[in-house]
Amino acid sequence: LGSSAQFPARRPRSWLLPPSWRNGEDEVEIEEQEGRLQKEQAPKPQPGEEDMDEDFRKVFDKNKTMRENMKATNLKELYYDRLPERIPSQPKHPMKVGEEEIPIVKQFIAKHGDNYEAMHWDIKTNVFQWTTAQCKKRVLAWQKGMVRSEAAEILSGHGIDMMKPIFGAAKKRNVFGH
């Protein structure tokens, strides 16, 4: 395409190295530098390896990743003595309808009856954008009388505040209580 006068000669890759490395006198320092880089890139311990259960640690293979170890492990066999006898049929915390949701639920029932899909797609009434399942849960909870008052909402919020206070004198206390 053109003469070599148009394009400069290709530089050797050694020009990328610091000047002290180019002359070959500091070969020992180069090896030490490479050794340091290899130490930084040494494999890190598997995530959660120090927090592992003793039973899981026995079957854990350090040559595999955590995901491969989890796939290869049968958790039912490993923890059969710790699993519950049966799965509870009722939830520990049943669904309750808050005071601010009651008018919406009443409008849903008056307008749509038991058609939960229509409740879901009613964009004027469904201001919280509940899914079909959420609409059904709230309607059934309201029909059973599972209503949560605003005072209970505030009280449960204060329960959270007691664990980690966000206002008042309790916020100024340190972790030791003074």
Side-chain angles (χ1 to χ4, degrees), residues 113-126:
D114 289 339
N115 189 352
Y116 304 112
E117 188 70 27
M119 293 177 192
H120 163 68
W121 287 107
D122 185 359
I123 59 173
K124 291 192 176 186
T125 311
N126 191 2

Side-chain angles (χ1 to χ4, degrees), residues 87-146:
I87 298 173
S89 59
Q90 296 294 322
K92 282 188 175 182
H93 304 287
M95 176 74 182
K96 293 181 182 177
V97 182
E99 282 184 1
E100 71 279 355
E101 299 169 342
I102 291 173
I104 297 170
V105 172
K106 286 181 180 178
Q107 287 176 4
F108 276 159
I109 294 171
K111 194 171 183 181
H112 303 290
D114 289 339
N115 189 352
Y116 304 112
E117 188 70 27
M119 293 177 192
H120 163 68
W121 287 107
D122 185 359
I123 59 173
K124 291 192 176 186
T125 311
N126 191 2
V127 292
F128 292 121
Q129 298 183 352
W130 294 332
T131 64
T132 306
Q134 289 172 329
C135 291
K136 182 177 180 179
K137 282 181 182 179
R138 282 177 172 79
V139 168
L140 294 176
W142 183 76
Q143 289 173 342
K144 289 180 184 176
M146 304 292 283

Side-chain angles (χ1 to χ4, degrees), residues 70-89:
M70 290 302 290
K71 281 184 180 178
T73 305
N74 186 352
L75 295 177
K76 283 186 179 179
E77 287 180 11
L78 200 58
Y79 299 110
Y80 69 93
D81 56 335
R82 300 183 200 174
L83 294 174
E85 295 289 325
R86 61 180 182 82
I87 298 173
S89 59

Side-chain angles (χ1 to χ4, degrees), residues 2-177:
S3 67
S4 61
Q6 288 179 345
F7 298 103
R10 196 169 224 190
R11 292 184 193 173
R13 290 200 175 248
S14 63
W15 74 277
L16 295 171
L17 298 173
S20 64
W21 291 7
R22 289 185 201 160
N23 56 14
E25 296 172 0
D26 300 328
E27 289 180 11
V28 175
E29 290 181 18
I30 294 172
E31 291 173 9
E32 288 177 8
Q33 181 70 20
E34 288 173 359
R36 273 189 247 134
L37 289 175
Q38 288 174 356
K39 284 182 184 176
E40 288 176 12
Q41 296 172 354
K44 295 179 182 176
Q46 297 264 345
E49 196 172 321
E50 57 276 348
D51 300 330
M52 266 191 250
D53 185 52
E54 288 183 31
D55 296 333
F56 187 67
R57 192 183 301 255
K58 290 175 187 173
V59 297
F60 188 81
D61 185 5
K62 292 187 179 185
N63 297 325
K64 294 181 182 178
T65 64
M66 185 64 127
R67 179 175 280 172
E68 290 171 345
N69 275 306
M70 290 302 290
K71 281 184 180 178
T73 305
N74 186 352
L75 295 177
K76 283 186 179 179
E77 287 180 11
L78 200 58
Y79 299 110
Y80 69 93
D81 56 335
R82 300 183 200 174
L83 294 174
E85 295 289 325
R86 61 180 182 82
I87 298 173
S89 59
Q90 296 294 322
K92 282 188 175 182
H93 304 287
M95 176 74 182
K96 293 181 182 177
V97 182
E99 282 184 1
E100 71 279 355
E101 299 169 342
I102 291 173
I104 297 170
V105 172
K106 286 181 180 178
Q107 287 176 4
F108 276 159
I109 294 171
K111 194 171 183 181
H112 303 290
D114 289 339
N115 189 352
Y116 304 112
E117 188 70 27
M119 293 177 192
H120 163 68
W121 287 107
D122 185 359
I123 59 173
K124 291 192 176 186
T125 311
N126 191 2
V127 292
F128 292 121
Q129 298 183 352
W130 294 332
T131 64
T132 306
Q134 289 172 329
C135 291
K136 182 177 180 179
K137 282 181 182 179
R138 282 177 172 79
V139 168
L140 294 176
W142 183 76
Q143 289 173 342
K144 289 180 184 176
M146 304 292 283
V147 178
R148 187 180 181 105
S149 68
E150 199 64 36
E153 291 282 343
I154 292 170
L155 189 61
S156 70
H158 282 300
I160 293 170
D161 292 343
M162 299 295 256
M163 289 183 270
K164 185 173 183 180
I166 56 172
F167 60 87
K171 182 177 180 177
K172 295 176 184 161
R173 285 194 313 245
N174 63 17
V175 293
F176 302 107

